Structure formats: structure tokens, C-alpha cells
Amino acid sequence: MNIVNIIEKKRDKKELTKEEIEYFISEYSSGNIPDYQAAALIMAIYLNGMNRRETADLTMAMANSGEILDLSDVSDLIIDKHSTGGVGDKITIILMPIIAALGIPVAKMSGRGLGFTGGTADKLESIPGYNVDLSIDEFKQNVKDIGISLITSSLNLAPADKKIYALRDTIGCVSSIPLIASSIMSKKIASGSNKIVIDLTCGSGAFMKNIVKAAILARTMVGIGKSVGREVRCVLTNMDEPVGYSVGNQLEIIEAVKALKGDMAKDVEEITYSLAIQIILMSGKAKDEQSAHEMVKDVIESGKALDKFRELVKKQGGDISYIDDLSKFEEPKYIVPVFPKRGGNIVKIKTEKIGRASVLLGAGRNNKDEKIDFQAGIIINKKINDIVKKDIPIAYIYTNRENSIDEAIKEIQDSYVILNIKRIKRRTVLQIIN
Ligand code: URA
């Protein structure tokens, strides 16, 4: 096989065979194909696309390029939840204990934050003592013992995807549906799941800004799932504003615990219920949405979901006294109100800017080695369609970095578009595709 012939085929809009795709992935991973030829092929795929069979073959080739976690000794049913990311997205921390409290096993690996989006692993680490770096044996044992474990991955999952993603970033080829779909799905398949629910975020705080493209991406991922024997359901959710009312690690844990106690922001509630319902239906534990909804309500109201979270925190070395008494979380040195530039109605929030402000304050990282300040973040006081006056804060900054305050205030003020008109607010859950 010859990489030049493969590039020429895709350049001329022809279909690649499974063997050609596997050849490219294995030879590129092992360094036998240089970046310039890989870049040419990726650009040809970007311009000419891939059909469903090719996309599924690319997914499996990337999934098979590294370790594949085998969780079959834990359960036949391994459901994973993935979010395409956003600002203030603490849904995993609320959703997964709910699912585990219903007796559905949860073995979930989560990433760390980078750039304007946060990561579940960092958020969990803001609970003193919580260890996200368990060995795979400990991870599996915890799922067997208490039905849930949330860790970060120490495995070399889908390394070909990492290499191709980095290359795409440098050649303007990130926003291609087959490339995004295969990238996400390869990692989910490598992490051992057989049923996958994807929270596909869409809007100013997500990498998919456009709902039509997001729906095509969702259908592509569902199609890959069908081709490779995994059930995939996508919930398209609105990321036109931060999720809930907090952005930043410890602040989001506090909001998540309050949510598990039944005190949920409306958008958090809608997203959590919607994803939980899809997971319950996939697990076969309920026949219809109504009964799945009742099951979720019951585990929250009975306190079973919160108990499961406490059990998880304890099992992974965390200090549960912080969960029982949220005031134990120490506040940072500076808590500063942010006032709007003008009064009126909030018609838009440039959510990515809010994420960037949280990074300035210390809550996130610009590169993967940067240290995070768990106490830093933003409390959102006003959201879309709230009416504001100049003397009422739109947000509060939490930080230990005095010299970042002015810049963060400006970034937050600039992210709020305030006019004298009301806008029609999009629903939180936009569409379910399966
Ligand atoms: N997220 C991924 O994991 N891959 C992409 O290509 C885009 C977003």
C-alpha cells in the first residue's frame, strides 16, 4: 500500500477501503508517514468528506491504535456519558451518582480542563483528598463494590486521535463532521463502553456554534455506533450561557452538591433529567420516559443520589465533611462584584469569554502543565432575559490573583450584551437524536 495513492484517491473524491484507512492510522501512529502527507490526507477528507462506512472504519482504527479498556468483568452494561464541553458544565458530577443510585454501573473516566472549558477530574479534585488517579484495578473494584467510580484516565486511549487532532489544529481542519465524530467516538469505544449518551453542547460556549451542524454531527455519531455495535444517543443542549450559576472547580462542586440535595438551577435540571432518562431507557430499567423521569425524581428526593455521591467521595479518599457542610470550602482572598455597563435586558452572553475570564482568575489552564486554583471562579448572578440595573451585579469574581481582577471584570462585562428588547430564549434541551 502507498500513502500517495491513498491521498490521490481522497483528493479525487473516491471512497477509501478499510485496509487503506487502517494502513494510514497505523503507519502515521508509528511515525512512518510524515506530517505533511498526513496533513494532505486530512485536508482531502476535510474537503471531500467520508461516508458512514469510512467514518466507522476510521473510528475503529483510531480506537484500536492504543489500549482498549475491558470492563466486561465489571458488568455487561457499560454506559458512558460524554459532553462536548462548555462553561460551568458540572452535569457529570450530578448525573452519575443519580445513575449509580438506580443500580446502573458507572465506570467513568473524565478529562481535565484546557482553555475555556473545565474538566470533571479537576472539579472532583477540589474536594480535599479526592483521588482521581486510581489504578485500573482499583477503578474496577470500586465499581464492583459501590457501583460507581469517577477517575481520570491513565491509559493510552486512542493515541492516533491525539496525534491527528493536534495536526488538525495546525492546518485548519478541526471543524469536519467525520473527523470530529470519529475523534469523539474512538475515545469512547477505547474506554470500554457499549452504550454511550452524548451531551452535544451547542451555542456561544461550545465548539459547535450551529444547531444544524450539531444535529448532523449527532446523526453521524449515532450512525458510527450502529455500524460498530454500540448504542449511541445524543442530547443536543443549549450552551448560549454558562450551565447553572457557577464556573470554577470548587464553586461547581458546591452547586453540584446542592443540586443532588434537590436545589437545581432550571437548566441544570433539564439537562440532568434528559440525559438520565436516555441512560435509564438504554439500560432497560424503564419502559418509557415518564417512568424514567419518576425514577430520577425519586432518587433525588429520597436522598439516595446524594448518599451515593458521599459514598463515592469517601471511597476515593475525599473528606465527606465538606459535602455535609459546604461552608467548609474556604473562599479565596477576593470576592468582587461585577456590575453591567448599562441597564436593560440581557439578550446574549458570549459564554466563551466567561470561560476565558475564569481562566484569568486561576480556575483553568492555558496549557496542560499549568496549576489550577480550586477556589477561583465566577458566580453568575444574571442570565439571558434577566433585567439588570447598573447597580446590580451580573456576576461575582472569586480569585486569589489580585492583578487579574480588572481584566476579568472587563471580560465579563464585555460578554454580556444588554439591550432594551427581550429575546426569545432557546430551550435548554434542543433535540434528542438516536
Ligand atoms: N472533541 C473531540 O474529542 N474531538 C474533536 O475533533 C472535536 C472535539
Side-chain angles (χ1 to χ4, degrees), residues 262-276:
D263 176 12
M264 283 193 207
K266 201 167 168 301
D267 55 351
V268 170
E269 181 173 332
E270 283 178 36
I271 300 169
T272 305
Y273 269 77
S274 179
L275 292 167

Side-chain angles (χ1 to χ4, degrees), residues 210-273:
N210 172 310
I211 186 176
V212 177
K213 259 191 115 177
I216 298 170
L217 175 61
R219 284 196 197 92
T220 307
M221 291 193 286
V222 171
I224 294 173
K226 289 201 169 105
S227 301
V228 304
R230 310 290 197 285
E231 187 179 352
V232 178
R233 297 185 179 209
C234 291
V235 178
L236 269 58
T237 61
N238 178 357
M239 187 58 76
D240 278 341
E241 54 188 353
V243 181
Y245 285 95
S246 59
V247 180
N249 301 283
Q250 166 181 308
L251 292 172
E252 291 188 45
I253 288 289
I254 293 171
E255 186 174 3
V257 172
K258 286 183 182 163
L260 284 166
K261 290 178 179 169
D263 176 12
M264 283 193 207
K266 201 167 168 301
D267 55 351
V268 170
E269 181 173 332
E270 283 178 36
I271 300 169
T272 305
Y273 269 77

